PDB file of all heavy atoms in Angstrom:
ATOM      1  N   LEU A   1     -15.325  -0.630  33.858  1.00 98.00           N
ATOM      2  CA  LEU A   1     -14.773  -0.177  32.561  1.00 98.00           C
ATOM      3  C   LEU A   1     -15.482   1.084  32.091  1.00 98.00           C
ATOM      4  O   LEU A   1     -16.646   1.329  32.424  1.00 98.00           O
ATOM      5  CB  LEU A   1     -14.975  -1.295  31.541  1.00 98.00           C
ATOM      6  CG  LEU A   1     -14.286  -2.647  31.829  1.00 98.00           C
ATOM      7  CD1 LEU A   1     -14.687  -3.663  30.824  1.00 98.00           C
ATOM      8  CD2 LEU A   1     -12.759  -2.466  31.799  1.00 98.00           C
ATOM      9  N   GLU A   2     -14.816   1.917  31.338  1.00 98.00           N
ATOM     10  CA  GLU A   2     -15.335   3.141  30.847  1.00 98.00           C
ATOM     11  C   GLU A   2     -16.225   2.845  29.620  1.00 98.00           C
ATOM     12  O   GLU A   2     -15.789   2.215  28.622  1.00 98.00           O
ATOM     13  CB  GLU A   2     -14.230   4.099  30.461  1.00 98.00           C
ATOM     14  CG  GLU A   2     -14.720   5.436  29.934  1.00 98.00           C
ATOM     15  CD  GLU A   2     -13.607   6.388  29.579  1.00 98.00           C
ATOM     16  OE1 GLU A   2     -13.015   6.962  30.494  1.00 98.00           O
ATOM     17  OE2 GLU A   2     -13.309   6.495  28.363  1.00 98.00           O
ATOM     18  N   PHE A   3     -17.480   3.298  29.702  1.00 98.00           N
ATOM     19  CA  PHE A   3     -18.420   3.026  28.611  1.00 98.00           C
ATOM     20  C   PHE A   3     -18.043   3.779  27.345  1.00 98.00           C
ATOM     21  O   PHE A   3     -17.635   4.927  27.400  1.00 98.00           O
ATOM     22  CB  PHE A   3     -19.855   3.445  29.028  1.00 98.00           C
ATOM     23  CG  PHE A   3     -20.422   2.619  30.149  1.00 98.00           C
ATOM     24  CD1 PHE A   3     -21.393   3.165  31.001  1.00 98.00           C
ATOM     25  CD2 PHE A   3     -20.054   1.320  30.316  1.00 98.00           C
ATOM     26  CE1 PHE A   3     -21.974   2.435  32.017  1.00 98.00           C
ATOM     27  CE2 PHE A   3     -20.587   0.544  31.359  1.00 98.00           C
ATOM     28  CZ  PHE A   3     -21.538   1.094  32.198  1.00 98.00           C
ATOM     29  N   GLY A   4     -18.220   3.104  26.208  1.00 96.00           N
ATOM     30  CA  GLY A   4     -17.953   3.745  24.931  1.00 96.00           C
ATOM     31  C   GLY A   4     -16.578   3.649  24.440  1.00 96.00           C
ATOM     32  O   GLY A   4     -16.310   3.909  23.262  1.00 96.00           O
ATOM     33  N   THR A   5     -15.623   3.330  25.335  1.00 96.00           N
ATOM     34  CA  THR A   5     -14.240   3.212  24.922  1.00 96.00           C
ATOM     35  C   THR A   5     -13.659   1.826  25.356  1.00 96.00           C
ATOM     36  O   THR A   5     -13.306   1.011  24.540  1.00 96.00           O
ATOM     37  CB  THR A   5     -13.370   4.328  25.532  1.00 96.00           C
ATOM     38  OG1 THR A   5     -13.533   4.375  26.927  1.00 96.00           O
ATOM     39  CG2 THR A   5     -13.751   5.665  24.894  1.00 96.00           C
ATOM     40  N   GLU A   6     -13.604   1.614  26.655  1.00 98.00           N
ATOM     41  CA  GLU A   6     -13.147   0.327  27.227  1.00 98.00           C
ATOM     42  C   GLU A   6     -14.199  -0.764  27.096  1.00 98.00           C
ATOM     43  O   GLU A   6     -13.896  -1.970  26.929  1.00 98.00           O
ATOM     44  CB  GLU A   6     -12.721   0.491  28.654  1.00 98.00           C
ATOM     45  CG  GLU A   6     -11.509   1.371  28.864  1.00 98.00           C
ATOM     46  CD  GLU A   6     -11.141   1.540  30.307  1.00 98.00           C
ATOM     47  OE1 GLU A   6     -12.037   1.501  31.172  1.00 98.00           O
ATOM     48  OE2 GLU A   6      -9.897   1.644  30.575  1.00 98.00           O
ATOM     49  N   LEU A   7     -15.476  -0.363  27.168  1.00 98.00           N
ATOM     50  CA  LEU A   7     -16.609  -1.322  26.999  1.00 98.00           C
ATOM     51  C   LEU A   7     -17.587  -0.724  26.054  1.00 98.00           C
ATOM     52  O   LEU A   7     -18.163   0.364  26.301  1.00 98.00           O
ATOM     53  CB  LEU A   7     -17.228  -1.597  28.343  1.00 98.00           C
ATOM     54  CG  LEU A   7     -18.451  -2.552  28.314  1.00 98.00           C
ATOM     55  CD1 LEU A   7     -18.018  -3.928  27.776  1.00 98.00           C
ATOM     56  CD2 LEU A   7     -19.081  -2.692  29.711  1.00 98.00           C
ATOM     57  N   LEU A   8     -17.780  -1.430  24.934  1.00 98.00           N
ATOM     58  CA  LEU A   8     -18.700  -0.969  23.912  1.00 98.00           C
ATOM     59  C   LEU A   8     -20.094  -1.609  24.102  1.00 98.00           C
ATOM     60  O   LEU A   8     -20.182  -2.811  24.458  1.00 98.00           O
ATOM     61  CB  LEU A   8     -18.162  -1.306  22.493  1.00 98.00           C
ATOM     62  CG  LEU A   8     -16.718  -0.842  22.237  1.00 98.00           C
ATOM     63  CD1 LEU A   8     -16.304  -1.297  20.808  1.00 98.00           C
ATOM     64  CD2 LEU A   8     -16.614   0.639  22.424  1.00 98.00           C
ATOM     65  N   ILE A   9     -21.123  -0.855  23.901  1.00 98.00           N
ATOM     66  CA  ILE A   9     -22.504  -1.326  24.212  1.00 98.00           C
ATOM     67  C   ILE A   9     -23.399  -0.852  23.096  1.00 98.00           C
ATOM     68  O   ILE A   9     -23.379   0.292  22.673  1.00 98.00           O
ATOM     69  CB  ILE A   9     -23.016  -0.778  25.562  1.00 98.00           C
ATOM     70  CG1 ILE A   9     -22.047  -1.141  26.679  1.00 98.00           C
ATOM     71  CG2 ILE A   9     -24.405  -1.340  25.843  1.00 98.00           C
ATOM     72  CD1 ILE A   9     -22.379  -0.437  28.004  1.00 98.00           C
ATOM     73  N   SER A  10     -24.233  -1.779  22.615  1.00 98.00           N
ATOM     74  CA  SER A  10     -25.159  -1.464  21.541  1.00 98.00           C
ATOM     75  C   SER A  10     -26.512  -2.185  21.722  1.00 98.00           C
ATOM     76  O   SER A  10     -26.590  -3.209  22.469  1.00 98.00           O
ATOM     77  CB  SER A  10     -24.626  -1.854  20.167  1.00 98.00           C
ATOM     78  OG  SER A  10     -23.520  -1.063  19.807  1.00 98.00           O
ATOM     79  N   HIS A  11     -27.527  -1.652  20.992  1.00 98.00           N
ATOM     80  CA  HIS A  11     -28.767  -2.396  20.920  1.00 98.00           C
ATOM     81  C   HIS A  11     -28.971  -2.634  19.409  1.00 98.00           C
ATOM     82  O   HIS A  11     -28.954  -1.696  18.592  1.00 98.00           O
ATOM     83  CB  HIS A  11     -29.896  -1.520  21.428  1.00 98.00           C
ATOM     84  CG  HIS A  11     -31.304  -2.190  21.256  1.00 98.00           C
ATOM     85  ND1 HIS A  11     -31.587  -3.442  21.710  1.00 98.00           N
ATOM     86  CD2 HIS A  11     -32.408  -1.699  20.623  1.00 98.00           C
ATOM     87  CE1 HIS A  11     -32.792  -3.707  21.413  1.00 98.00           C
ATOM     88  NE2 HIS A  11     -33.363  -2.710  20.769  1.00 98.00           N
ATOM     89  N   SER A  12     -29.237  -3.886  19.060  1.00 97.00           N
ATOM     90  CA  SER A  12     -29.508  -4.257  17.678  1.00 97.00           C
ATOM     91  C   SER A  12     -30.654  -5.247  17.688  1.00 97.00           C
ATOM     92  O   SER A  12     -30.470  -6.473  17.791  1.00 97.00           O
ATOM     93  CB  SER A  12     -28.297  -4.868  17.006  1.00 97.00           C
ATOM     94  OG  SER A  12     -28.580  -5.114  15.582  1.00 97.00           O
ATOM     95  N   PRO A  13     -31.854  -4.746  17.625  1.00 95.00           N
ATOM     96  CA  PRO A  13     -33.059  -5.646  17.810  1.00 95.00           C
ATOM     97  C   PRO A  13     -33.229  -6.594  16.615  1.00 95.00           C
ATOM     98  O   PRO A  13     -32.943  -6.260  15.479  1.00 95.00           O
ATOM     99  CB  PRO A  13     -34.213  -4.665  17.858  1.00 95.00           C
ATOM    100  CG  PRO A  13     -33.736  -3.448  17.103  1.00 95.00           C
ATOM    101  CD  PRO A  13     -32.248  -3.362  17.352  1.00 95.00           C
ATOM    102  N   GLU A  14     -33.666  -7.807  17.028  1.00 90.00           N
ATOM    103  CA  GLU A  14     -33.987  -8.802  15.967  1.00 90.00           C
ATOM    104  C   GLU A  14     -35.224  -8.248  15.179  1.00 90.00           C
ATOM    105  O   GLU A  14     -36.062  -7.626  15.753  1.00 90.00           O
ATOM    106  CB  GLU A  14     -34.252 -10.160  16.590  1.00 90.00           C
ATOM    107  CG  GLU A  14     -35.269 -10.225  17.664  1.00 90.00           C
ATOM    108  CD  GLU A  14     -36.716 -10.284  17.145  1.00 90.00           C
ATOM    109  OE1 GLU A  14     -36.891 -10.527  15.955  1.00 90.00           O
ATOM    110  OE2 GLU A  14     -37.630 -10.100  17.933  1.00 90.00           O
ATOM    111  N   ARG A  15     -35.284  -8.578  13.884  1.00 90.00           N
ATOM    112  CA  ARG A  15     -36.345  -8.090  13.040  1.00 90.00           C
ATOM    113  C   ARG A  15     -36.801  -9.255  12.117  1.00 90.00           C
ATOM    114  O   ARG A  15     -36.965  -9.080  10.949  1.00 90.00           O
ATOM    115  CB  ARG A  15     -35.925  -6.891  12.188  1.00 90.00           C
ATOM    116  CG  ARG A  15     -35.381  -5.746  13.027  1.00 90.00           C
ATOM    117  CD  ARG A  15     -34.725  -4.693  12.105  1.00 90.00           C
ATOM    118  NE  ARG A  15     -35.718  -3.707  11.697  1.00 90.00           N
ATOM    119  CZ  ARG A  15     -35.586  -2.873  10.649  1.00 90.00           C
ATOM    120  NH1 ARG A  15     -34.478  -2.948   9.898  1.00 90.00           N
ATOM    121  NH2 ARG A  15     -36.468  -1.972  10.345  1.00 90.00           N
ATOM    122  N   VAL A  16     -37.008 -10.422  12.727  1.00 91.00           N
ATOM    123  CA  VAL A  16     -37.322 -11.592  11.952  1.00 91.00           C
ATOM    124  C   VAL A  16     -38.689 -12.197  12.399  1.00 91.00           C
ATOM    125  O   VAL A  16     -39.169 -11.852  13.439  1.00 91.00           O
ATOM    126  CB  VAL A  16     -36.242 -12.684  12.112  1.00 91.00           C
ATOM    127  CG1 VAL A  16     -34.916 -12.167  11.514  1.00 91.00           C
ATOM    128  CG2 VAL A  16     -36.057 -13.075  13.590  1.00 91.00           C
ATOM    129  N   ILE A  17     -39.191 -13.076  11.557  1.00 86.00           N
ATOM    130  CA  ILE A  17     -40.477 -13.713  11.802  1.00 86.00           C
ATOM    131  C   ILE A  17     -40.269 -15.195  11.956  1.00 86.00           C
ATOM    132  O   ILE A  17     -39.493 -15.804  11.152  1.00 86.00           O
ATOM    133  CB  ILE A  17     -41.464 -13.345  10.691  1.00 86.00           C
ATOM    134  CG1 ILE A  17     -42.885 -13.833  11.101  1.00 86.00           C
ATOM    135  CG2 ILE A  17     -41.033 -13.949   9.357  1.00 86.00           C
ATOM    136  CD1 ILE A  17     -43.940 -13.316  10.142  1.00 86.00           C
ATOM    137  N   PRO A  18     -40.884 -15.812  12.967  1.00 85.00           N
ATOM    138  CA  PRO A  18     -40.747 -17.273  13.083  1.00 85.00           C
ATOM    139  C   PRO A  18     -41.192 -17.988  11.802  1.00 85.00           C
ATOM    140  O   PRO A  18     -42.175 -17.593  11.161  1.00 85.00           O
ATOM    141  CB  PRO A  18     -41.698 -17.585  14.266  1.00 85.00           C
ATOM    142  CG  PRO A  18     -41.702 -16.352  15.056  1.00 85.00           C
ATOM    143  CD  PRO A  18     -41.619 -15.198  14.068  1.00 85.00           C
ATOM    144  N   GLY A  19     -40.425 -19.034  11.469  1.00 87.00           N
ATOM    145  CA  GLY A  19     -40.691 -19.731  10.228  1.00 87.00           C
ATOM    146  C   GLY A  19     -39.830 -19.329   9.049  1.00 87.00           C
ATOM    147  O   GLY A  19     -39.596 -20.090   8.138  1.00 87.00           O
ATOM    148  N   ARG A  20     -39.275 -18.091   9.187  1.00 92.00           N
ATOM    149  CA  ARG A  20     -38.430 -17.567   8.126  1.00 92.00           C
ATOM    150  C   ARG A  20     -37.204 -16.841   8.738  1.00 92.00           C
ATOM    151  O   ARG A  20     -36.604 -15.885   8.174  1.00 92.00           O
ATOM    152  CB  ARG A  20     -39.149 -16.557   7.247  1.00 92.00           C
ATOM    153  CG  ARG A  20     -40.282 -17.182   6.440  1.00 92.00           C
ATOM    154  CD  ARG A  20     -41.064 -16.137   5.646  1.00 92.00           C
ATOM    155  NE  ARG A  20     -40.130 -15.354   4.799  1.00 92.00           N
ATOM    156  CZ  ARG A  20     -40.552 -14.268   4.111  1.00 92.00           C
ATOM    157  NH1 ARG A  20     -41.731 -13.847   4.219  1.00 92.00           N
ATOM    158  NH2 ARG A  20     -39.701 -13.630   3.365  1.00 92.00           N
ATOM    159  N   ILE A  21     -36.823 -17.313   9.924  1.00 94.00           N
ATOM    160  CA  ILE A  21     -35.730 -16.595  10.621  1.00 94.00           C
ATOM    161  C   ILE A  21     -34.455 -16.576   9.897  1.00 94.00           C
ATOM    162  O   ILE A  21     -33.790 -15.423   9.809  1.00 94.00           O
ATOM    163  CB  ILE A  21     -35.555 -17.231  12.054  1.00 94.00           C
ATOM    164  CG1 ILE A  21     -36.750 -16.874  12.941  1.00 94.00           C
ATOM    165  CG2 ILE A  21     -34.243 -16.734  12.708  1.00 94.00           C
ATOM    166  CD1 ILE A  21     -36.683 -17.428  14.349  1.00 94.00           C
ATOM    167  N   PHE A  22     -33.964 -17.662   9.374  1.00 95.00           N
ATOM    168  CA  PHE A  22     -32.668 -17.653   8.782  1.00 95.00           C
ATOM    169  C   PHE A  22     -32.638 -16.815   7.460  1.00 95.00           C
ATOM    170  O   PHE A  22     -31.635 -16.136   7.197  1.00 95.00           O
ATOM    171  CB  PHE A  22     -32.206 -19.067   8.501  1.00 95.00           C
ATOM    172  CG  PHE A  22     -31.854 -19.846   9.785  1.00 95.00           C
ATOM    173  CD1 PHE A  22     -32.704 -20.772  10.273  1.00 95.00           C
ATOM    174  CD2 PHE A  22     -30.658 -19.518  10.471  1.00 95.00           C
ATOM    175  CE1 PHE A  22     -32.394 -21.442  11.444  1.00 95.00           C
ATOM    176  CE2 PHE A  22     -30.363 -20.176  11.617  1.00 95.00           C
ATOM    177  CZ  PHE A  22     -31.232 -21.108  12.158  1.00 95.00           C
ATOM    178  N   GLU A  23     -33.675 -16.888   6.731  1.00 95.00           N
ATOM    179  CA  GLU A  23     -33.790 -16.056   5.527  1.00 95.00           C
ATOM    180  C   GLU A  23     -33.719 -14.554   5.904  1.00 95.00           C
ATOM    181  O   GLU A  23     -33.013 -13.791   5.320  1.00 95.00           O
ATOM    182  CB  GLU A  23     -35.066 -16.343   4.770  1.00 95.00           C
ATOM    183  CG  GLU A  23     -35.314 -15.481   3.550  1.00 95.00           C
ATOM    184  CD  GLU A  23     -36.643 -15.724   2.916  1.00 95.00           C
ATOM    185  OE1 GLU A  23     -37.308 -16.769   3.274  1.00 95.00           O
ATOM    186  OE2 GLU A  23     -37.106 -14.880   2.113  1.00 95.00           O
ATOM    187  N   GLU A  24     -34.464 -14.209   6.914  1.00 95.00           N
ATOM    188  CA  GLU A  24     -34.567 -12.805   7.278  1.00 95.00           C
ATOM    189  C   GLU A  24     -33.352 -12.271   8.087  1.00 95.00           C
ATOM    190  O   GLU A  24     -33.026 -11.098   8.001  1.00 95.00           O
ATOM    191  CB  GLU A  24     -35.854 -12.545   8.047  1.00 95.00           C
ATOM    192  CG  GLU A  24     -37.099 -12.837   7.176  1.00 95.00           C
ATOM    193  CD  GLU A  24     -38.350 -12.107   7.657  1.00 95.00           C
ATOM    194  OE1 GLU A  24     -38.373 -11.619   8.805  1.00 95.00           O
ATOM    195  OE2 GLU A  24     -39.309 -12.079   6.889  1.00 95.00           O
ATOM    196  N   LEU A  25     -32.700 -13.174   8.845  1.00 95.00           N
ATOM    197  CA  LEU A  25     -31.466 -12.739   9.475  1.00 95.00           C
ATOM    198  C   LEU A  25     -30.435 -12.230   8.476  1.00 95.00           C
ATOM    199  O   LEU A  25     -29.709 -11.299   8.668  1.00 95.00           O
ATOM    200  CB  LEU A  25     -30.840 -13.912  10.240  1.00 95.00           C
ATOM    201  CG  LEU A  25     -31.363 -14.197  11.685  1.00 95.00           C
ATOM    202  CD1 LEU A  25     -30.699 -15.487  12.235  1.00 95.00           C
ATOM    203  CD2 LEU A  25     -31.051 -12.996  12.627  1.00 95.00           C
ATOM    204  N   VAL A  26     -30.456 -12.863   7.310  1.00 96.00           N
ATOM    205  CA  VAL A  26     -29.480 -12.546   6.241  1.00 96.00           C
ATOM    206  C   VAL A  26     -29.961 -11.357   5.435  1.00 96.00           C
ATOM    207  O   VAL A  26     -29.219 -10.370   5.189  1.00 96.00           O
ATOM    208  CB  VAL A  26     -29.196 -13.763   5.365  1.00 96.00           C
ATOM    209  CG1 VAL A  26     -28.317 -13.325   4.179  1.00 96.00           C
ATOM    210  CG2 VAL A  26     -28.532 -14.887   6.143  1.00 96.00           C
ATOM    211  N   GLN A  27     -31.194 -11.366   4.965  1.00 96.00           N
ATOM    212  CA  GLN A  27     -31.685 -10.438   3.949  1.00 96.00           C
ATOM    213  C   GLN A  27     -32.242  -9.150   4.537  1.00 96.00           C
ATOM    214  O   GLN A  27     -32.126  -8.097   3.863  1.00 96.00           O
ATOM    215  CB  GLN A  27     -32.772 -11.100   3.147  1.00 96.00           C
ATOM    216  CG  GLN A  27     -32.293 -12.369   2.381  1.00 96.00           C
ATOM    217  CD  GLN A  27     -31.189 -12.115   1.376  1.00 96.00           C
ATOM    218  OE1 GLN A  27     -31.069 -10.972   0.903  1.00 96.00           O
ATOM    219  NE2 GLN A  27     -30.395 -13.125   1.087  1.00 96.00           N
ATOM    220  N   ASN A  28     -32.784  -9.169   5.740  1.00 96.00           N
ATOM    221  CA  ASN A  28     -33.400  -7.951   6.266  1.00 96.00           C
ATOM    222  C   ASN A  28     -32.382  -6.853   6.607  1.00 96.00           C
ATOM    223  O   ASN A  28     -31.265  -7.173   7.012  1.00 96.00           O
ATOM    224  CB  ASN A  28     -34.210  -8.241   7.547  1.00 96.00           C
ATOM    225  CG  ASN A  28     -35.484  -8.963   7.227  1.00 96.00           C
ATOM    226  OD1 ASN A  28     -35.804  -9.282   6.060  1.00 96.00           O
ATOM    227  ND2 ASN A  28     -36.317  -9.267   8.222  1.00 96.00           N
ATOM    228  N   ASP A  29     -32.748  -5.628   6.416  1.00 97.00           N
ATOM    229  CA  ASP A  29     -31.927  -4.498   6.972  1.00 97.00           C
ATOM    230  C   ASP A  29     -31.866  -4.648   8.477  1.00 97.00           C
ATOM    231  O   ASP A  29     -32.741  -5.199   9.095  1.00 97.00           O
ATOM    232  CB  ASP A  29     -32.538  -3.137   6.607  1.00 97.00           C
ATOM    233  CG  ASP A  29     -32.283  -2.783   5.159  1.00 97.00           C
ATOM    234  OD1 ASP A  29     -31.866  -3.634   4.381  1.00 97.00           O
ATOM    235  OD2 ASP A  29     -32.570  -1.616   4.802  1.00 97.00           O
ATOM    236  N   ARG A  30     -30.793  -4.106   9.049  1.00 97.00           N
ATOM    237  CA  ARG A  30     -30.615  -4.225  10.498  1.00 97.00           C
ATOM    238  C   ARG A  30     -30.387  -2.844  11.081  1.00 97.00           C
ATOM    239  O   ARG A  30     -29.729  -1.995  10.467  1.00 97.00           O
ATOM    240  CB  ARG A  30     -29.417  -5.091  10.802  1.00 97.00           C
ATOM    241  CG  ARG A  30     -29.360  -5.489  12.290  1.00 97.00           C
ATOM    242  CD  ARG A  30     -28.731  -6.807  12.507  1.00 97.00           C
ATOM    243  NE  ARG A  30     -29.055  -7.251  13.843  1.00 97.00           N
ATOM    244  CZ  ARG A  30     -29.493  -8.448  14.173  1.00 97.00           C
ATOM    245  NH1 ARG A  30     -29.685  -9.329  13.242  1.00 97.00           N
ATOM    246  NH2 ARG A  30     -29.778  -8.739  15.441  1.00 97.00           N
TER     247      ARG A  30
END
């Protein structure tokens, strides 16, 4: 597949801390 058109690819790193993952998944900037 052609990259960027037929197949989209991204990197979106997690930015959460264990113990507060669900809170930070929602509230943190991404």
Side-chain angles (χ1 to χ4, degrees):
L1 300 172
E2 181 179 283
F3 293 153
T5 54
E6 295 179 326
L7 179 59
L8 307 179
I9 305 170
S10 292
H11 177 55
S12 184
E14 54 82 12
R15 306 172 88 197
V16 296
I17 189 169
R20 295 177 54 189
I21 287 180
F22 288 105
E23 176 186 346
E24 296 201 347
L25 275 175
V26 174
Q27 300 297 336
N28 287 2
D29 284 12
R30 192 152 196 133

